[in-house]
Amino acid sequence: MINGIINIYKEKGYTSHDVVAKLRGILGQKKIGHTGTLDPDAEGVLPVCLGRATRLCDMLTEKNKIYEAVLLLGKTTDTQDITGRVLEERDTSSLTESYIKECIQGYIGEYEQLPPMYSALKVNGRKLYELAREGIEVERKKRLVQIFDITIDRIELPRISMEVKCSKGTYIRTLCHDIGQDLGAGGCMEALLRTKVGRFELKDSLRLAQVENLKETGKLSEVIVPTDAMFSELPSLTVADEYWTYACNGNPLKPEYMTKKKTVSEGERVRIYDEEKTFIGIYHYNISKGEYRLEKMFFSPSKK
């Protein structure tokens, strides 16, 4: 089984689930999970976790993201993007660049965003887009998201090209819709490209056909990011062989169980390996108990 993360370029027309399904066929393994839904018409970076690295999925979903988006002003749709049913069309000729820039820059910082009906969020066990397709609209709660920066690349009305750096949970479709409403012309998202998720960048992403070729030529391992690389900023420790069973069972580990002593502070997080350099998991130090406690296990006891 392959363990690690692969940076996939999700192509237009595929859902994130489609990508996972196709990778299962290419790689010949079932344990695969994606790290955050991209709309079918959106493209770009989609980190995919393989094997034991699927335990990272929730962590990678939390990462900040960067998008390149095209906002189409003058058109409001039920899906908040160009694929939806047009609800209203307005003239944009009276809008000035200075007014547009001032409005868009006003979204930098925290803002409350109402999740769109055409989204994968669940209400009472059902996805919102399923309800929307049945013509049912339900009440949603606004969520606080953060826009770290918006760079306007080009304004050629009715289109605005911009780069958005944002927190997890931000709907770029909804941002486009909200900007359009504030400008009084309405708006929807015409195109979306995700260029970065955490450490994963567009320039390093691979299309499914490239992954298949690497698999066939035996070079796939060259592009798999090891699970522990996601925690490279944390110090590492090695548990001695005689205490390996403690570690693989997820028990707390005393500092004297390590091959080398290390001075640590309360709550400090560390990577722990065995003497064969196999990554076991992430632990944090509990100073009152004088022990490392398991935070996330990435190890399979079947190894030994």
Side-chain angles (χ1 to χ4, degrees):
M1 182 169 66
I2 303 169
N3 300 297
I5 306 98
I6 188 166
N7 182 1
I8 294 294
Y9 182 100
K10 192 199 81 67
E11 298 169 65
K12 202 168 185 177
Y14 289 126
T15 66
S16 299
H17 290 294
D18 290 339
V19 171
V20 169
K22 288 183 177 294
L23 277 176
R24 283 175 178 152
I26 293 169
L27 303 180
Q29 71 178 53
K30 292 183 178 180
K31 202 168 185 182
I32 300 178
H34 68 77
T35 58
T37 303
L38 267 178
D39 292 338
D41 277 356
E43 300 178 82
V45 174
L46 180 69
V48 176
C49 297
L50 313 172
R52 291 193 292 275
T54 52
R55 298 169 191 176
L56 274 173
C57 285
D58 56 341
M59 293 182 176
L60 291 178
T61 304
E62 301 286 309
K63 298 293 184 181
N64 297 332
K65 301 170 177 68
I66 301 178
Y67 296 90
E68 291 178 4
V70 177
L71 161 58
L72 177 64
L73 292 173
K75 186 172 290 188
T76 304
T77 72
D78 60 350
T79 60
Q80 300 181 346
D81 65 16
I82 198 66
T83 67
R85 178 171 58 89
V86 177
L87 302 176
E88 187 178 12
E89 293 189 78
R90 297 183 194 175
D91 181 54
T92 63
S93 59
S94 63
L95 295 174
T96 64
E97 283 200 12
S98 60
Y99 181 52
I100 290 170
K101 288 178 179 177
E102 182 182 359
C103 176
I104 290 175
Q105 294 303 308
Y107 277 85
I108 296 174
E110 292 185 335
Y111 104 93
E112 287 192 324
Q113 193 176 70
L114 183 67
M117 276 301 301
Y118 282 88
S119 66
L121 285 180
K122 288 185 177 180
V123 173
N124 297 324
R126 295 196 65 191
K127 292 178 180 178
L128 287 178
Y129 69 77
E130 294 173 343
L131 296 171
R133 287 170 181 167
E134 295 173 12
I136 302 170
E137 182 163 352
V138 297
E139 186 176 351
R140 290 100 67 204
K141 291 182 179 179
K142 287 188 175 183
R143 303 192 306 181
L144 193 67
V145 299
Q146 186 162 9
I147 308 297
F148 302 112
D149 194 21
I150 302 178
T151 302
I152 299 173
D153 297 321
R154 189 168 60 256
I155 297 177
E156 294 177 348
L157 289 178
R159 291 171 177 82
I160 301 168
S161 299
M162 56 188 182
E163 180 187 75
V164 181
K165 298 177 180 178
C166 59
S167 66
K168 65 160 188 170
T170 303
Y171 287 95
I172 304 300
R173 283 183 289 136
T174 301
L175 176 65
C176 290
H177 170 85
D178 291 348
I179 291 170
Q181 292 300 108
D182 280 355
L183 288 171
C188 65
M189 186 183 77
E190 185 174 58
L192 185 68
L193 174 69
R194 187 156 71 188
T195 60
K196 191 173 183 181
V197 178
R199 60 169 281 175
F200 296 97
E201 300 184 36
L202 187 69
K203 64 181 178 64
D204 303 315
S205 61
L206 298 165
R207 295 173 186 267
L208 290 170
Q210 292 175 288
V211 175
E212 188 168 17
N213 180 259
L214 288 167
K215 178 70 163 55
E216 291 172 352
T217 56
K219 297 180 180 179
L220 187 63
S221 61
E222 297 175 10
V223 298
I224 302 294
V225 178
T227 307
D228 58 335
M230 302 307 300
F231 305 98
S232 57
E233 76 283 3
L234 301 181
S236 64
L237 290 171
T238 300
V239 64
D241 273 346
E242 58 262 42
Y243 300 108
W244 177 85
T245 304
Y246 287 54
C248 76
N249 287 328
N251 294 325
L253 303 174
K254 299 288 186 182
E256 54 265 32
Y257 295 176
M258 306 301 156
T259 56
K260 290 183 180 179
K261 295 289 181 69
K262 178 185 181 301
T263 302
V264 288
S265 55
E266 173 64 28
E268 184 175 351
R269 301 169 78 222
V270 296
R271 291 171 288 149
I272 289 185
Y273 297 79
D274 67 13
E275 290 198 58
E276 294 179 10
K277 307 301 181 185
T278 302
F279 180 46
I280 295 174
I282 300 299
Y283 287 69
H284 65 269
Y285 191 66
N286 184 306
I287 201 164
S288 63
K289 297 286 187 180
E291 61 190 19
Y292 296 98
R293 293 195 166 185
L294 180 66
E295 191 173 299
K296 195 89 171 181
M297 175 75 80
F298 293 98
F299 174 75
S300 175
S302 62
K303 169 185 164 286
K304 290 191 178 181

